Amino acid sequence: MVFHTADPNEREFDRSLRPTTFGEFVGQEQIRDNLRIAIGAARGRDEPLDHVLLCGPPGLGKTTLAHLIAAGMGADIVLTSGPALGAPKDLAGTLTRLQRNQVLFIDEIHRLPKVLEEYLYSAMEDHAIDVVLDPGPSGRSVRLGVQPFTLVGATTREGLLTAAFRSRFGIVERLEPYPSKDIEQILLRAAVRLSVVLEAPAAALCAERSRGTPRVALRILRRVRDLAQMQQKASIDAVVAQEGLQRLRIDALGLEELDRKLLRALVQRGDAIGLKTLAAMLDEAEDTIEEVLEPHLIRCGLLARTPRGRVATPRTYEHLQLPPPATKPGELPFA
Ligand code: ADP
């Protein structure tokens, strides 16, 4: 398992630590405020909230915000995902069952089959969908009503949505990785909920190595909590945290073994590598590389994207403690 990608077995853990009010949602102040204002105004008018699109890497709080939006509207939430809505009848069923003002959350909305986008458009705008009864030249269709609802879409790949689709969301918010201070706060709150004592230096250490991602930070906490328990420590201190991180092989920049494997592949090649080749070398999905691994490596300055492919940087060599590549006379390194 890649430590920082979603793991279905940990959904329950995620759920148990999920903030239940906007007040408990740490950081991302601007997004929180924008949503609070929009929710307050919509409630004042007794209307459903505008459709919302939440963009950003996995584990930053998109699902959590969808729940908070529903709670703020005093409405139920219906959860589904792009890949789960395979056929028009799945989406038609979901849409026609919605009750007034409910929130429909579609995770990974960029993976919604294109044929279903049209359905959604008319449901979002006209509160109706046209279901084709028999396709073909004499095709008949029936118009089914849909209650006014709020669509909350979450995506890790905003660029894959068509402009037409994106423009149908009245509210578009982009989540960024959290500063360490925010992650520390998330960890300290989670520790209280889990009834463990997390010392401040340990919280700071775990936060620094969590790539600005609450889900990663909470998983680290879970592992160091196990370690403290096995060592019969009354609290999680910096020594336990350090040992836990070492055991997880998470380094000072929050990189795991798979990240380092990717960097080593870049260095070995010594030239630009295309995404497909990289995926084959690592035996990983292209999506995982693009959505999960690369953004953090780029932020750390350890990988650069060029028109020819992915390349190492001087920092890559530094981080792997390797000498920089030899250059031919007259050639600049990393040119
Ligand atoms: P996403 O949908 O973006 O993948 P989630 O909403 O599932 O992310 O969040 C992953 C975990 O991190 C959840 O357990 C959630 O409780 C926690 N979390 C995310 N953002 C915050 C936040 N701002 N404050 C507190 N906890 C958070």
Side-chain angles (χ1 to χ4, degrees):
M1 178 187 97
V2 184
F3 192 63
H4 47 253
T5 54
D7 172 4
N9 298 328
E10 294 196 345
R11 295 243 163 85
E12 193 46 48
F13 181 74
D14 270 6
R15 227 191 328 266
S16 67
L17 294 176
R18 188 160 275 154
T20 51
T21 63
F22 275 107
E24 289 176 21
F25 190 86
V26 177
Q28 313 275 358
E29 284 81 7
Q30 183 135 32
I31 295 177
R32 226 175 35 184
D33 288 351
N34 290 349
L35 289 174
R36 267 183 172 159
I37 292 169
I39 289 170
R43 285 199 82 153
R45 292 191 301 265
D46 197 19
E47 283 174 6
L49 179 69
D50 250 350
H51 304 296
V52 182
L53 182 64
L54 302 171
C55 315
L60 291 192
K62 298 181 294 298
T63 310
T64 306
L65 282 174
H67 282 275
L68 293 179
I69 288 170
M73 291 300 295
D76 286 335
I77 186 166
V78 175
L79 302 161
T80 185
S81 73
L85 294 166
K89 68 172 178 7
D90 299 332
L91 182 58
T94 304
L95 289 169
T96 51
R97 274 193 300 273
L98 287 174
Q99 287 160 23
R100 193 180 163 77
N101 291 0
Q102 269 189 338
V103 170
L104 172 64
F105 176 64
I106 306 186
D107 200 8
E108 297 188 76
I109 199 162
H110 58 277
R111 291 178 64 192
L112 187 79
K114 283 282 165 282
V115 288
L116 299 188
E117 269 186 26
E118 291 290 327
Y119 262 60
L120 260 191
Y121 290 172
S122 59
M124 288 163 89
E125 287 170 1
D126 308 330
H127 306 302
I129 49 171
D130 293 310
V131 179
V132 179
L133 293 180
D134 45 3
S138 60
R140 285 181 307 136
S141 65
V142 283
R143 179 150 262 238
L144 300 176
V146 175
Q147 292 292 325
F149 72 106
T150 299
L151 174 65
V152 178
T155 180
T156 48
R157 304 285 298 279
E158 189 188 349
L160 294 184
L161 296 182
T162 60
F165 196 11
R166 233 177 312 165
S167 70
R168 283 170 162 87
F169 292 91
I171 303 171
V172 179
E173 298 290 355
R174 297 180 182 87
L175 284 91
E176 297 288 337
Y178 294 66
S180 272
K181 278 272 157 273
D182 288 350
I183 300 279
E184 270 177 62
Q185 214 184 322
I186 291 172
L187 285 172
L188 290 167
R189 284 191 186 185
V192 172
R193 280 214 196 172
L194 295 170
S195 306
V196 291
V197 181
L198 176 66
E199 296 186 8
L205 190 63
C206 297
E208 263 167 33
R209 307 237 182 144
S210 65
R211 34 175 86 213
T213 306
R215 180 180 290 130
V216 175
L218 294 172
R219 282 194 190 158
I220 293 176
L221 176 63
R222 195 168 136 139
R223 295 282 81 84
V224 294
R225 174 185 68 161
D226 289 350
L227 194 59
Q229 189 185 328
M230 293 313 288
Q231 296 181 348
Q232 298 181 344
K233 293 222 175 182
S235 65
I236 300 171
D237 58 18
V239 177
V240 182
Q242 184 77 47
E243 187 185 335
L245 287 161
Q246 231 159 29
R247 284 174 181 275
L248 293 167
R249 311 191 64 197
I250 297 178
D251 68 25
L253 293 179
L255 307 196
E256 298 168 37
E257 197 42 44
L258 187 58
D259 299 292
R260 288 186 292 271
K261 199 170 155 196
L262 190 156
L263 296 183
R264 282 195 296 271
L266 289 184
V267 163
Q268 263 164 23
R269 174 64 67 107
D271 195 6
I273 309 186
L275 181 61
K276 272 200 174 21
T277 315
L278 202 51
M281 285 170 89
L282 300 180
D283 198 16
E284 275 297 329
E286 291 176 32
D287 277 356
T288 308
I289 295 180
E290 271 198 305
E291 290 170 27
V292 186
L293 304 182
E294 283 188 349
H296 183 64
L297 295 174
I298 292 172
R299 263 196 309 279
C300 292
L302 295 169
L303 176 147
R305 279 190 193 154
T306 70
R308 293 183 305 119
R310 280 71 178 161
V311 292
T313 71
R315 283 206 75 188
T316 319
Y317 288 82
E318 256 172 57
H319 191 71
L320 296 176
Q321 298 181 322
L322 292 172
T327 50
K328 295 187 196 104
E331 192 185 71
L332 291 172
F334 304 109

